[in-house]
Amino acid sequence: MDHSDYVIDEMISAKSIAARVEELAREIHAHFADTDKLVVVGLLRGSFVFIADLVRELDLPVEVDFLEASSYGNAMESSREVRILKDLRGEIGGRDVLVVEDIVDTGFTLAHVVKLLRSREPKRLEVCALLDKPSRREVEIKATWTGFEIPDAFVVGYGIDYAQRNRNLPHIGKVRRKA
Ligand code: IMP
């Protein structure tokens, strides 16, 4: 992978992300206001920045857990086979669960994860996705809350990578190949 053959154009500023995260947290708080404990499940690795910002805006009793599902490998195309590489540490049966995803693209990953977690019979399970590319959808699934709908572009930053790079960008940018 040669990281010198592309440039990153800013698509969503760090300020817009922060404002949207605050709004999402308000809606999530309203939904789960009566919870005794909310298990916030981050899908690794792309959601790690988003989940860190989101939980700090949530004034609720929160537990954080992580799950890693395979999706992209290092290519720009999505793979359909979803495998669980790392499962949750805690039990979610009878619990309130919020799944936090970075991007819903074809929908294969989220559909697989939601089905798996629902089989463990949580009390309530909702999904918050930072980004959604509805035009790419192949499996019918929608997050309960979505940060931003974006067009079909390959994006990086705010935790999201291109072949493991650019996760540390504070904003979200669109990858553009140099001519
Ligand atoms: P899906 O299973 O096709 O919905 O893919 C979801 C996963 O693919 C996301 O959680 C991301 O990890 C990855 N992904 C999808 N689109 C992008 C992108 O534009 N940039 C980086 N990763 C992406």
Side-chain angles (χ1 to χ4, degrees), residues 35-99:
T35 193
D36 54 337
K37 185 174 84 178
L38 179 64
V39 183
V40 183
V41 173
L43 302 196
L44 293 172
R45 288 175 242 175
S47 73
F48 81 101
V49 176
F50 182 35
I51 197 174
D53 282 347
L54 191 63
V55 294
R56 283 181 293 174
E57 294 290 337
L58 274 182
D59 187 16
L60 289 173
V62 152
E63 187 175 304
V64 175
D65 207 339
F66 292 98
L67 186 140
E68 185 171 12
S70 68
S71 56
Y72 259 62
N74 281 348
M76 271 201 178
E77 274 309 307
S78 183
S79 121
R80 275 135 211 266
E81 195 203 337
V82 181
R83 280 182 308 137
I84 302 299
L85 303 178
K86 185 213 166 293
D87 206 339
L88 300 178
R89 289 291 295 272
E91 304 290 333
I92 57 162
R95 298 270 169 219
D96 284 326
V97 176
L98 176 72
V99 177

Side-chain angles (χ1 to χ4, degrees), residues 104 106-108 110-111 137-143:
V104 189
T106 63
F108 280 101
L110 187 60
R137 196 73 85 259
E138 290 178 41
V139 176
E140 206 182 310
I141 184 141
K142 196 157 172 48

Side-chain angles (χ1 to χ4, degrees), residues 16-49:
S16 312
I17 299 170
R20 188 70 186 118
V21 169
E22 240 184 84
E23 286 174 3
L24 291 169
R26 232 176 287 136
E27 291 178 31
I28 292 164
H29 186 284
H31 185 85
F32 286 112
D34 62 344
T35 193
D36 54 337
K37 185 174 84 178
L38 179 64
V39 183
V40 183
V41 173
L43 302 196
L44 293 172
R45 288 175 242 175
S47 73
F48 81 101
V49 176

